[in-house]
Amino acid sequence: MRQSRSGPKTDTSQGRAAASDRRSVGLREVARVAGVSTATVSRAMNNPEIVSADLRARIDAAVQQLGWVPDGAARALSTRRSQTIGAVFPALSIGEFARATHAIQSELARLGYTLLLACSEYDPAQELSQVRKFVERGVDGLILVGQAHHPDTERLLHQRKIPYVNTFVYDRSQPGTCVGPDNHRALQMMTDHLADLGHVRFAAIAQSTLNNDRAGARLEGMRHALALRGLAARPQHVLIGKWTIGEGRALFRKLMQTDPRPTAIICGNAHLTVGAVLEALAMGLRLPDDVSIVGYDDIEVMSHLPVPVTTVRVPGDRIGATAARLLVSRLENKPFSEPLEAEAEIVIRSSSGPPPKDS
Amino acid sequence: MRQSRSGPKTDTSQGRAAASDRRSVGLREVARVAGVSTATVSRAMNNPEIVSADLRARIDAAVQQLGWVPDGAARALSTRRSQTIGAVFPALSIGEFARATHAIQSELARLGYTLLLACSEYDPAQELSQVRKFVERGVDGLILVGQAHHPDTERLLHQRKIPYVNTFVYDRSQPGTCVGPDNHRALQMMTDHLADLGHVRFAAIAQSTLNNDRAGARLEGMRHALALRGLAARPQHVLIGKWTIGEGRALFRKLMQTDPRPTAIICGNAHLTVGAVLEALAMGLRLPDDVSIVGYDDIEVMSHLPVPVTTVRVPGDRIGATAARLLVSRLENKPFSEPLEAEAEIVIRSSSGPPPKDS
DNA sequence: TTGTAGGCGTTATCAG
DNA sequence: CTGATAACGCCTACAA
């Protein structure tokens, strides 16, 4: 029928590399060695059960002998699937994200996917450009952090129909799209804990909420909980800075120089928390007698500091693993029924207690 | 000439999806819209300067209008280059590796490459399988940790001619292949520091050296430095465990129950160090008066603990960035002249001092 | 169950 | 400088 089967295959050898010159093992060589067609080899690799046992054996032997490794690019081109997932995190060396990265990676590996990783440095424009690059690289899906993305990011993903999941946030109005804690509620709970102990003068040491909807939601959660009791943190008691231990120390010290002093201090991330606690100890303050400090993210050191720290536990690894599974089930059109909200848990330790009597 | 230009293109439409049905924008549609050939579009994208200005403009307009994004898989298939680098780390949530990952990622992004990340969990077999998967995915190069790999890993990489660099090690006998500190020497220096202060009874709290050549080299460095002075750590003073803070505490406590007690304790990683220091403080010991503790990896908390910790600084970020640049220059056949040894620096703080008088 | 051959979207060669 | 077209290596619809 088709009039095509004309020349090319007969090797006129003028391409960039004549087929006959190619020494690199390909499906073709395997097929030849095994004495079968390329289609059969392909099937033997992808659906072993539909190939007769003896052929399968011959093929496996040939594969072994030639040390053939399938070519992902060719497969991706043909199937329009790369078995690759991209993840863009604001930072990689922050505990919660590092744990999540690890969990995502191992979960994806288990499911036959590979992880492409990038970092946005808390900048939506960078996030966009990383996402763009991932799209060009042909990722099947994406894992992002937070809900606030560059409009073009959402547009691009929508138009290319690339599924993605937002992590470290939970928004019940967007079911099935995000995996994480309800940041607002987490801090509301933490604030309630302190208020229930009798605190009235609250302070916050937080990282910038610029381009960080999670941090913003947490601050709002605190504000909301306080407002419900007719309270509010004084402006000079709400300090924003970088997310380092040193910054935590500096901001804590600054807080202690105000008058009146706050009696309860809520920190916005693990580094700031560790800094605040260590500075308090360095200043000779007793926790929680002189002041209560609570943190965010239950990294291991929280329970080992001289005064174990009350903190919000964020199951970064569970979030990552769940996000990975969710994304893959969506890609493979499988149902998914695990809970997506990582209920934030308040871990109460010794750094929080009733406010000092004389305050 | 070529007798080929026969049928297929004339659309007999019997493939899985007839060319005419494909609505997805490709180079072809762009070419059609711009009224040029696909070759010209391709050139306009990759070598703009060799295409006349007006065509370039028309092409850019068409690209814009269609929202075309080049297909990485197709490009990879055609060029045999994926612009992708794979990195396999033993763990991702350890400070030094997290920092390195970050640095690698941003350096690669700058150079036009994308990072594929995986984790070996300190298991050569897992490393091998991750490397295999990366090879299938078509990475252009690899970044690994340490020098000890599964023999098949090296074989595979060698036979596929895939360049790779070993990080966090420095071996002067393998020039150009590894980037990192000389672990042996680092610990030798640290041990010398303590010995010079007068210590004689040394102890080590380390992670398993199984499948961890860096940790092994560090332990050897200590042994060697001691041997040069005719000293050695007693067997009961060399404790091996997991790399957590809790473990560091437990092992330190165990050490303090021996008789005689060691006066200088060398920890094998950051977590163990923090644990040991915090346990010492919890036990009411004074550092360095009662005992000296030194660590490995100068993470931020080291300088902020109640007693700032003497430690080895490992510039994970510099190592990562250098490794990335080295690998890319090799891929692009460019010369590379930056130093590959990340000279380990001993940061002396208050946790180390002369041994107690009465010892 | 197995073989045949076209097509996935780009690049690059070669001829104008 | 531009156009035509053969690979790139694999998958899969279709035929046998």
Side-chain angles (χ1 to χ4, degrees):
Chain A
M1 215 128 268
R2 215 163 309 117
Q3 81 246 65
S4 31
R5 67 175 315 300
S6 32
K9 211 91 291 177
T10 52
D11 176 27
T12 20
S13 295
Q14 71 292 80
R16 142 188 32 167
S20 43
D21 297 335
R22 306 292 302 135
R23 69 273 145 264
S24 96
V25 288
L27 204 44
R28 211 142 23 209
E29 338 294 312
V30 176
R32 182 182 321 146
V33 171
V36 300
S37 73
T38 59
T40 304
V41 177
S42 176
R43 284 190 284 253
M45 300 315 293
N46 305 313
N47 293 76
E49 64 276 10
I50 69 168
V51 172
S52 67
D54 58 329
L55 281 196
R56 220 186 310 154
R58 259 160 54 202
I59 291 170
D60 287 348
V63 167
Q64 206 62 39
Q65 177 193 329
L66 297 174
W68 174 68
V69 174
D71 181 313
R75 173 179 297 176
L77 182 58
S78 192
T79 59
R80 312 278 54 211
R81 284 274 158 148
S82 61
Q83 297 293 104
T84 282
I85 298 292
V88 184
F89 281 92
L92 302 180
S93 41
I94 288 189
E96 40 186 323
F97 296 139
R99 293 197 312 271
T101 303
H102 185 182
I104 291 173
Q105 194 279 318
S106 46
E107 198 63 20
L108 287 180
R110 219 174 50 75
L111 298 167
Y113 286 74
T114 291
L115 175 67
L116 230 26
L117 186 69
C119 182
S120 71
E121 325 253 344
Y122 287 101
D123 175 358
Q126 278 201 55
E127 183 183 65
L128 171 59
S129 84
Q130 305 285 21
V131 166
R132 267 222 178 92
K133 199 150 67 172
F134 281 172
V135 170
E136 292 191 22
R137 292 282 191 273
V139 295
D140 293 338
L142 282 164
I143 294 179
L144 304 177
V145 171
Q147 281 186 111
H149 307 297
H150 191 293
D152 287 354
T153 300
E154 283 163 345
R155 190 172 310 143
L156 175 66
L157 264 22
H158 182 78
Q159 117 186 8
R160 314 280 303 196
K161 293 202 176 51
I162 297 178
Y164 64 99
V165 359
N166 295 324
T167 57
F168 291 93
V169 284
Y170 187 73
D171 180 352
R172 59 200 74 255
S173 75
Q174 302 279 314
T177 65
C178 45
V179 178
D182 180 329
N183 288 276
H184 183 101
R185 194 156 61 87
L187 255 91
Q188 189 174 345
M189 285 169 62
M190 182 57 101
T191 307
D192 282 341
H193 161 66
L194 291 166
D196 289 345
L197 287 170
H199 289 275
V200 170
R201 293 204 301 276
F202 284 78
I205 294 181
Q207 56 194 317
S208 169
T209 59
L210 186 65
N211 298 327
N212 186 335
D213 54 348
R214 288 90 58 213
R218 297 203 285 269
L219 223 40
E220 272 317 306
M222 177 189 90
R223 290 218 170 89
H224 182 65
L226 289 179
L228 285 179
R229 299 173 189 247
L231 298 173
R234 290 168 170 74
Q236 70 271 31
H237 285 170
V238 178
L239 269 29
I240 305 291
K242 298 172 301 181
W243 41 273
T244 64
I245 294 177
E247 186 85 352
R249 293 189 74 149
L251 296 182
F252 179 83
R253 177 169 283 274
K254 200 161 161 192
L255 230 36
M256 289 300 105
Q257 288 162 352
T258 59
D259 183 24
R261 280 183 176 185
T263 63
I265 297 174
I266 297 178
C267 301
N269 92 0
H271 295 251
L272 292 169
T273 309
V274 170
V277 169
L278 289 176
E279 180 64 20
L281 297 176
M283 291 173 69
L285 295 172
R286 291 160 310 153
L287 305 182
D289 304 317
D290 296 321
V291 60
S292 285
I293 299 180
V294 301
Y296 192 80
D297 194 7
D298 188 25
I299 58 177
E300 196 191 2
V301 78
M302 294 292 187
S303 56
H304 290 287
L305 286 174
V307 177
V309 186
T310 294
T311 190
V312 178
R313 174 170 296 160
V314 186
D317 38 12
R318 193 143 43 90
I319 292 174
T322 303
R325 283 194 296 270
L326 170 61
L327 192 52
V328 170
S329 0
R330 189 165 310 162
L331 286 172
E332 304 182 343
N333 294 311
K334 290 175 183 161
F336 189 83
S337 54
E338 296 175 42
L340 300 185
E341 176 170 8
E343 64 306 325
E345 184 186 344
I346 307 295
V347 182
I348 298 177
R349 300 208 181 89
S350 329
S351 70
S352 62
K357 288 262 169 45
D358 62 337
S359 79
Chain B
M1 220 127 269
R2 210 165 312 119
Q3 80 246 65
S4 33
R5 65 175 315 302
S6 33
K9 212 89 292 176
T10 51
D11 177 25
T12 20
S13 295
Q14 71 293 81
R16 142 189 32 166
S20 44
D21 296 335
R22 306 293 304 136
R23 69 273 149 260
S24 97
V25 288
L27 205 45
R28 207 136 32 206
E29 339 293 313
V30 176
R32 182 182 322 147
V33 171
V36 299
S37 73
T38 59
T40 303
V41 177
S42 178
R43 284 190 285 254
M45 301 315 294
N46 303 314
N47 293 76
E49 64 278 9
I50 69 167
V51 172
S52 67
D54 58 330
L55 280 196
R56 219 186 311 151
R58 260 162 50 205
I59 291 170
D60 287 349
V63 167
Q64 207 61 39
Q65 177 192 330
L66 297 174
W68 173 71
V69 174
D71 181 314
R75 172 178 297 174
L77 182 58
S78 192
T79 59
R80 311 278 56 208
R81 283 273 158 147
S82 62
Q83 298 291 108
T84 284
I85 299 293
V88 184
F89 281 91
L92 303 179
S93 40
I94 288 190
E96 41 186 323
F97 296 139
R99 293 194 314 269
T101 305
H102 186 182
I104 291 173
Q105 193 281 318
S106 44
E107 199 62 21
L108 287 180
R110 218 174 51 75
L111 297 167
Y113 286 74
T114 291
L115 174 68
L116 230 27
L117 186 69
C119 183
S120 70
E121 325 250 343
Y122 288 99
D123 175 358
Q126 278 201 55
E127 184 185 63
L128 171 59
S129 85
Q130 305 285 19
V131 166
R132 269 225 176 89
K133 199 149 67 171
F134 282 172
V135 170
E136 292 192 22
R137 293 283 192 273
V139 294
D140 293 337
L142 282 165
I143 294 179
L144 304 177
V145 171
Q147 280 187 112
H149 307 296
H150 191 293
D152 288 354
T153 300
E154 282 163 345
R155 189 172 311 145
L156 175 66
L157 263 22
H158 181 79
Q159 115 185 11
R160 315 281 302 196
K161 294 202 176 50
I162 297 179
Y164 64 99
V165 359
N166 295 324
T167 57
F168 291 93
V169 284
Y170 186 73
D171 179 351
R172 60 200 73 254
S173 74
Q174 302 279 314
T177 66
C178 45
V179 177
D182 179 331
N183 288 276
H184 185 100
R185 194 156 62 87
L187 255 92
Q188 189 175 343
M189 285 170 60
M190 181 58 101
T191 306
D192 281 341
H193 161 66
L194 292 166
D196 288 345
L197 287 169
H199 289 274
V200 170
R201 292 205 302 277
F202 284 78
I205 295 181
Q207 55 193 317
S208 169
T209 58
L210 186 66
N211 298 326
N212 186 337
D213 54 348
R214 288 91 57 213
R218 298 202 284 269
L219 224 39
E220 273 316 306
M222 177 188 89
R223 290 218 171 90
H224 183 64
L226 289 179
L228 284 179
R229 299 173 188 247
L231 299 173
R234 290 169 170 72
Q236 70 271 29
H237 285 171
V238 177
L239 269 28
I240 305 289
K242 298 172 301 181
W243 41 272
T244 64
I245 295 178
E247 186 85 350
R249 294 190 72 151
L251 295 183
F252 178 84
R253 176 171 284 274
K254 202 161 160 191
L255 231 34
M256 289 301 105
Q257 287 162 354
T258 59
D259 183 24
R261 281 183 174 185
T263 62
I265 297 173
I266 297 179
C267 301
N269 93 0
H271 295 250
L272 292 169
T273 309
V274 170
V277 169
L278 289 175
E279 181 64 19
L281 297 176
M283 290 174 70
L285 294 173
R286 289 161 311 151
L287 305 183
D289 304 318
D290 295 322
V291 61
S292 285
I293 299 180
V294 301
Y296 191 81
D297 193 9
D298 188 25
I299 59 177
E300 196 190 2
V301 79
M302 293 292 185
S303 57
H304 291 287
L305 286 175
V307 177
V309 186
T310 294
T311 190
V312 178
R313 175 170 296 160
V314 186
D317 37 14
R318 194 143 45 89
I319 292 174
T322 303
R325 283 193 296 269
L326 170 62
L327 192 52
V328 170
S329 5
R330 189 165 311 162
L331 286 172
E332 304 182 344
N333 294 312
K334 290 176 184 162
F336 189 83
S337 54
E338 296 175 43
L340 300 185
E341 176 170 9
E343 64 304 327
E345 186 185 344
I346 308 296
V347 182
I348 298 178
R349 300 208 182 89
S350 329
S351 70
S352 62
K357 289 262 169 46
D358 62 336
S359 79

